Amino acid sequence: MPTEVDTGRVVADIVTASMSSPSCVLGLATGSSPLTAYRELARRHRHEGLSFAGVRAFLLDEYVGLPPDHPESYAQVIRREFVDHVDLDPAQVHVPDGAADDVLAEARRYDEAIAAAGPVTVQILGIGVNGHLGFNEPGSSLASRTRIKTLTAETRRDNARFFGGVEDDVPHHVITQGLATIGQAQHLVLAASGGHKAAAIAAAVEGPVSSSCPASVFQLHPHVTVVVDEEAAADLQRADYYRYVATHKLPQQGY
Ligand code: F6R
C-alpha cells in the first residue's frame, strides 16, 4: 500500500466483510497502527450505514496497575479511539482487568472468555519494533496463553509517547493474550506503517519462525494478511512478488 491511509482502508474492508457473519467477534488492538482503520470504520458507520450492532469485541491487552479510568488504560483508549464513534455496545467490548486484585486469575478468566465467545473472526494487530505481537515480547512462548508479561525497556520507551514522554509512568507489566490465544482467531490482520517497522515486518514475514520475533508465529497460521505501507515494506526480499500477487488476485481469493 502506498500510504498509511491506504492500509487503514484495507483493514477496514476486511473488518467490514467479516461483519456479514451473524456471530462476528472482533479482536481489537490499541496503539497507533489501527487508528486509520478505526477512523475509516467510524466514517463508514456515520455515512454508509455500517453497523456494529450485535458484534462482540475483545482487546489484546491491558496495562497492569493502571486504574480503569486512567486515560491511557487500553479500556479508555479503545473507547475514545473507536467504540465512542460507532454503535458497538460498550458492554460487549471486553478488556482484561489490569486493576484486578488477582491479575493471574484475571488473565486465565480472560483467556477462557475468549475461547467461550470465539473464535475471533478477525483479529486486528500491530507489531512492535522488536517484533512483539500483543505484548508478547521476544522470548515469549509460541504456545503462550493469556498471562502477565513484563515489558522490555524498549517497549516502555516507545510507549512513553502516550504518557507525556515520561517513561517512568509507563507500567512495567501487562496482561496480554498469548501467541496461541491470538492464533485461534480465524483471520489475523496486521497493520504497520513507517520505516521503523521495516525490520520487524521482514523478520515476521520472511525470517525464521522463532520466539525471538514473536510475530513470526504468523507463518504457522492458515490466514494472515499483512497490510503495510511502502516504508514498512522496505526490507521485504520478496516485495515484488507480493505486489504482483496483490494485483493479480482472483476475485474469489479475497484478502
Ligand atoms: C497494542 C499492542 C501492541 C502494539 C504494538 C505497536 O494493543 O498489542 O502490540 O500493536 O506495540 O504499537 P504502535 O501501533 O503504537 O506502533
Side-chain angles (χ1 to χ4, degrees):
M1 297 294 126
T3 69
E4 189 175 358
V5 173
D6 300 307
T7 64
R9 187 178 39 74
V10 171
V11 174
D13 284 350
I14 294 171
V15 171
T16 302
S18 77
M19 293 201 322
S20 59
S21 145
S23 55
C24 177
V25 181
L26 290 181
L28 302 175
T30 48
S32 314
S33 304
L35 291 181
T36 52
Y38 293 155
R39 282 184 202 128
E40 173 60 12
L41 288 166
R43 189 195 66 74
R44 291 180 193 189
H45 169 67
R46 266 193 319 275
H47 299 296
E48 295 173 7
L50 179 68
S51 176
F52 294 78
V55 170
R56 290 164 297 163
F58 285 85
L59 225 63
L60 273 177
D61 36 31
E62 179 59 287
Y63 290 113
V64 168
L66 289 187
D69 59 353
H70 188 288
E72 292 310 322
S73 74
Y74 285 156
Q76 292 299 322
V77 171
I78 200 67
R79 187 189 53 67
R80 194 167 65 233
E81 301 290 358
F82 184 48
V83 181
D84 279 356
H85 308 283
V86 295
D87 60 343
L88 193 50
D89 176 359
Q92 291 302 333
V93 179
H94 303 277
V95 186
D97 180 1
D101 288 338
D102 185 344
V103 280
L104 296 181
E106 170 59 9
R108 279 193 300 275
R109 181 203 66 78
Y110 194 66
D111 203 89
E112 286 162 13
I114 297 168
V120 168
T121 316
V122 169
Q123 174 65 59
I124 300 172
L125 295 161
I127 188 171
V129 290
N130 63 3
H132 72 215
L133 209 59
F135 278 124
N136 295 280
E137 298 283 33
S140 292
S141 161
L142 302 183
S144 51
R145 310 295 316 184
T146 305
R147 68 210 183 293
I148 312 297
K149 283 298 287 184
T150 306
L151 296 178
T152 62
E154 184 183 26
T155 299
R156 291 183 63 245
R157 251 193 321 275
D158 280 352
N159 284 9
R161 70 191 195 278
F162 299 116
F163 289 81
V166 183
E167 208 177 306
D168 282 348
D169 287 354
V170 183
H172 287 267
H173 298 99
V174 290
I175 298 177
T176 181
Q177 287 189 36
L179 292 169
T181 315
I182 294 169
Q184 282 173 337
Q186 291 174 322
H187 186 180
L188 305 182
V189 181
L190 179 118
S193 53
H196 62 304
K197 297 290 175 77
I201 288 291
V205 174
E206 296 178 338
V209 176
S210 160
S211 64
S212 296
C213 177
S216 65
V217 73
F218 275 172
Q219 298 175 36
L220 301 172
H221 192 281
H223 192 184
V224 181
T225 307
V226 177
V227 191
V228 284
D229 68 1
E230 289 296 333
E231 291 172 357
D235 290 358
L236 289 167
Q237 300 295 310
R238 289 188 289 271
D240 287 347
Y241 174 65
Y242 306 140
R243 284 195 193 92
Y244 180 84
V245 169
T247 52
H248 291 79
K249 283 217 172 209
L250 296 173
Q252 59 271 42
Q253 274 184 290
Y255 286 113

